[in-house]
Each structure stands twice: as structure tokens, then as C-alpha cells.
Amino acid sequence: MIGRLNHVAIAVADVEKASKVYASTLGAKVGPAEIVAEHGVKVVFVELPNTKIELLEPYGENSPIAAFVEKNPAGGIHHVCYEVDDIVKARDHLKSEGARVLGDGSPRIGAHGKPVLFLHPKDFCGTLVELEQA
Ligand SMILES: CC[C@H](C(=O)O)C(=O)SCCNC(=O)CCNC(=O)[C@H](O)C(C)(C)COP(=O)(O)OP(=O)(O)OC[C@H]1O[C@@H](n2cnc3c(N)ncnc32)[C@H](O)[C@@H]1OP(=O)(O)O
Ligand SMILES: [Co+2]
């Protein structure tokens, strides 16, 4: 069911600072910072040959990553995102398997303008999983 690894997300307190680490220290191609208010994050994508790194900073009052950044002030891997051919079919299958789909369960538009949803870390080896419609 899951396809390619679309991105690995790293949550940090300061995404501009983190971008510099990837741009100058690691010599990667770093995109511009953009606010995705409906998801409560400021995001920078780092393009890699085979996937992307999504650098995330909490944005706004109730950012879903605020608690994570508070617990991990130096930053840390927040989630992995896999592509799926049909996100509704994937969601329904996962729910039938007893997996917890976060939020109200309906896919929302993510940073790439594609439908995404999130699966509870406790059901996936302690890792927050994001699915994105390929
Ligand atoms: C712009 C969109 C972009 C994109 O790619 O398109 C994004 O990816 S936006 C990313 C930000 N949005 C989200 O993360 C939405 C889904 N996340 C959530 O709903 C919450 O973060 C949630 C439910 C995963 C965690 O909620 P909270 O931070 O309030 O922590 P809790 O105390 O409720 O956590 C319960 C339990 O889970 C563990 N936990 C929390 N976050 C993670 C994580 N990132 N990875 C692994 N485990 C996590 C936490 O430690 C608690 O475990 P416990 O053993 O009970 O202490
Ligand atoms: Co993501």
C-alpha cells in the first residue's frame, strides 16, 4: 500500500537556523520558508536526490508540534511521510485494521497542495506517520 518516502520531517524551534545547517554545513538545496497556517507550522523543504527533508517550526497558538519542540528543544525527527495511490482507500483499510487516524479522519491539503492525513505514532512503531496522495 505505501509507496515512496515523500519526506522526513524534523521539528525545530528555529527553521531559518536549521535551514542554514542544511544549506551551508550539509550543502543541500534549501527552499524558501513558508507559513502553512492551517497546519500550525512554518515549513522549509530541503530537496534531496531521492526524497525531501521537511523542516518544521511551530506557528500560531495551537501548533500540533509545539509540545514536541518543547520536549525536544534541540529538534528531532517528527514524522515520516509515505505516498499512497488512493488516500481514502488507504485510510479506510487502516481504520478497518484498527489503526488510529488523527483529527477527524478526513484528508486535509498539506504543504504540497495534496491531501494528507496522519496516523497515531503508537500504532506505527512509535513513529508519527503521514500519508500523502501521490
Ligand atoms: C504543512 C503540512 C505538513 C505536510 O507535510 O504537508 C505537515 O507535515 S504538518 C505537521 C504537523 N501536524 C501534525 O503533526 C498533525 C498530527 N500530529 C498530531 O496530531 C499530534 O502531534 C500528536 C497526536 C501526534 C501528538 O500530540 P501531542 O503533541 O499533543 O502529544 P501527546 O502528549 O498527545 O502525545 C501522545 C503520545 O504520542 C507521543 N508523540 C507525540 N508526538 C510524537 C511524534 N511526533 N512522534 C512519535 N511520538 C509522538 C508522545 O510522546 C506521547 O507518548 P507517551 O508515551 O504517551 O508520552
Ligand atoms: Co509532513
Side-chain angles (χ1 to χ4, degrees):
M1 181 176 71
I2 55 172
R4 70 181 281 276
L5 175 69
N6 182 280
H7 61 269
V8 174
I10 297 173
V12 292
D14 179 340
V15 85
E16 312 289 349
K17 230 164 103 192
S19 311
K20 287 200 183 67
V21 170
Y22 273 82
S24 35
T25 318
L26 292 171
K29 198 163 152 273
V30 174
E34 48 181 290
I35 304 274
V36 190
E38 58 279 22
H39 285 270
V41 292
K42 185 174 176 187
V43 55
V44 167
F45 278 102
V46 180
E47 296 295 330
L48 301 180
N50 58 345
T51 188
K52 289 186 276 287
I53 300 295
E54 180 183 69
L55 301 173
L56 294 171
E57 177 185 323
Y59 175 84
E61 287 308 301
N62 306 312
S63 172
I65 66 168
F68 183 93
V69 172
E70 217 166 291
K71 269 191 228 169
N72 306 278
I77 293 181
H78 183 261
H79 64 269
V80 290
C81 179
Y82 303 116
E83 291 178 2
V84 288
D85 289 336
D86 181 331
I87 198 162
V88 173
K89 222 162 116 204
R91 178 204 55 198
D92 295 346
H93 165 70
L94 290 162
K95 280 171 92 167
S96 70
E97 300 273 309
R100 285 167 283 184
V101 179
L102 296 170
D104 68 3
S106 33
R108 296 168 58 201
I109 298 302
H112 297 129
K114 302 254 182 86
V116 299
L117 53 77
F118 289 88
L119 306 172
H120 202 289
K122 295 286 177 220
D123 300 331
F124 294 92
C125 320
T127 308
L128 178 60
V129 170
E130 177 182 8
L131 299 181
E132 178 174 312
Q133 175 85 28

